[in-house]
Amino acid sequence: MVRPPCCDKEGIKKGPWTPEEDLVLVSYIQEHGPGNWRAVPTRTGLMRCSKSCRLRWTNYLRPGIKRGNFTDQEEKLIVHLQALLGNRWAAIASYLPERTDNDIKNYWNTHLRRKLQGGGEGEGEGGGAASKPAAQRPASSSKGQWERRLQTDIGMARRALREALTSLDAVKPLPDAAVGAGSGAAADSPASSSSGASQCSPSAAGYVLTTENISRMLDGWARKGGRAGTGPATPGAAESASGSSEASEVSYGGTAASAAPPALPSPFDYETKPSVAAPDQTPLSAIESWLFADVDGIDHHVQGGSFLDAAMDYAF
DNA sequence: AACTGACTCAACCGCCGGTGA
DNA sequence: GTCACCGGCGGTTGAGTCAGT
């Protein structure tokens, strides 16, 4: 069938989002929650198409997003998962709850792919596998086949993750604080160690978007000056660019959120990006516990609460 | 100091699958 | 059963930034 464009070209604004637009979108989502994106432009008056709104939210405004400074651990995970899953960035991103698929995709395309190609198979694992990812499968597979494939994928991913984490631990043992308290993947990242925004999982964070924060957010943008649009308009960019100073100002579940009482009723409990970890767990520690809990386990049907279940719920 | 090429990443585009009428 | 709508995904682009000359 011929599909009309998601939004007609007239009157639809494109390009970088402005702080004002961000604010409108965030405010709307704070009130109504993400979803029903079709209605967002009309209800908010944003001259954006629904896709653009959704993308802006999921890739940028969504709380709990960590930007830039991929750690070695994250990098290894991405390499392994890419080798196993192929360019299924959304699936890969589900293993890195603080990262967006777009971010991972960009990082892969700009850093990792070249690294693996140019430097030969630097890590040894990616090289051949990455060139022919497992994702190149027939699109039309029956459900049963798909499930078997999924089981295989899970098994392979699991093994690879265990290897990655094991080898990483051998090289650079994780500090206890990193595994237990903060974001395991982020803990030793230069930027993230100082950036509160990366310290908590999205669901646990409790999205603190008060009018005070909004005004501070805008204030921070304004003070950043420079190019209007992408740069200052993007809290994360400011955060990553400045290292840490602005991070606490934009409390997307950051410092303020982590310091906030857990019972803080977050308007973003319906967060679209799943957190595979328990609220007081970091995603990676959840992965680790899942990996190491049953060394010989074929427990792909473990009862509720396992990482696998969560992964099954969200990633596939 | 100016210029140029490489790099980064936010955003767009088109396609696909799920779902409800 | 068919059709249309909507959300999601992966690939791609282009503006902005950075580093080297």
Side-chain angles (χ1 to χ4, degrees):
Chain A
M1 72 189 84
V2 176
R3 182 181 297 280
C6 75
C7 44
D8 39 15
K9 307 292 182 184
E10 293 180 27
I12 296 299
K13 187 179 173 191
K14 291 184 181 180
W17 281 64
T18 65
E20 291 77 16
E21 288 175 314
D22 282 343
L23 187 57
V24 168
L25 181 59
V26 165
S27 300
Y28 175 84
I29 292 174
Q30 186 182 24
E31 193 174 346
H32 298 94
N36 195 13
W37 295 107
R38 190 75 172 181
V40 172
T42 55
R43 291 194 184 179
T44 60
L46 286 170
M47 304 303 285
R48 299 277 182 172
C49 78
S50 57
K51 280 188 174 186
S52 187
C53 294
R54 183 179 60 81
L55 218 59
R56 183 64 181 172
W57 170 255
T58 55
N59 285 340
Y60 221 101
L61 300 174
R62 182 168 57 81
I65 291 178
K66 190 170 71 176
R67 314 195 63 78
N69 294 303
F70 279 75
T71 65
D72 289 346
Q73 200 165 12
E74 287 173 314
E75 188 176 310
K76 270 187 173 294
L77 266 175
I78 293 169
V79 169
H80 275 267
L81 290 168
Q82 201 281 339
L84 292 165
L85 304 174
N87 295 355
R88 288 147 69 184
W89 305 116
I92 293 173
S94 68
Y95 288 87
L96 296 156
E98 294 178 325
R99 303 291 187 180
T100 68
D101 53 355
N102 206 34
D103 226 11
I104 293 171
K105 182 170 57 181
N106 279 333
Y107 188 67
W108 172 265
N109 286 332
T110 57
H111 294 86
L112 299 179
R113 188 173 56 182
R114 193 180 310 130
K115 205 177 195 176
L116 292 175
Q117 285 176 348
E121 38 296 332
E123 311 289 332
E125 77 290 3
S131 60
K132 272 298 167 196
Q136 298 184 353
R137 312 173 170 100
S140 60
S141 55
S142 71
K143 183 142 190 169
Q145 288 173 328
W146 185 85
E147 282 173 353
R148 277 196 298 277
R149 191 196 84 194
L150 180 60
Q151 292 288 340
T152 308
D153 276 356
I154 290 168
M156 292 170 68
R158 190 172 180 166
R159 194 157 10 104
L161 280 167
R162 189 158 52 210
E163 287 169 9
L165 291 171
T166 305
S167 63
L168 203 84
D169 283 347
V171 174
K172 181 182 60 178
L174 284 173
D176 286 345
V179 175
S183 163
D188 50 0
S189 158
S192 61
S193 61
S194 57
S195 164
S198 65
Q199 295 287 327
C200 51
S201 68
S203 62
Y207 185 80
V208 182
L209 184 80
T210 61
T211 51
E212 184 185 0
N213 277 340
I214 292 172
S215 67
R216 279 190 296 180
M217 179 165 68
L218 288 172
D219 188 34
W221 281 324
R223 278 189 288 112
K224 281 292 172 189
R227 72 189 224 254
T230 40
T234 53
E239 171 187 336
S240 59
S242 64
S244 65
S245 61
E246 299 295 334
S248 60
E249 293 190 12
V250 185
S251 300
Y252 287 98
T255 359
S258 58
L264 181 71
S266 166
F268 295 95
D269 283 346
Y270 37 65
E271 180 47 58
T272 53
K273 184 75 172 187
S275 169
V276 294
D280 57 343
Q281 260 183 320
T282 69
L284 274 178
S285 65
I287 291 173
E288 286 165 353
S289 60
W290 170 66
L291 287 173
F292 293 112
D294 63 328
V295 178
D296 54 350
I298 316 292
D299 64 333
H300 291 169
H301 304 88
V302 191
Q303 301 83 327
S306 75
F307 173 77
L308 178 57
D309 286 343
M312 291 283 284
D313 284 346
Y314 292 117
F316 303 103

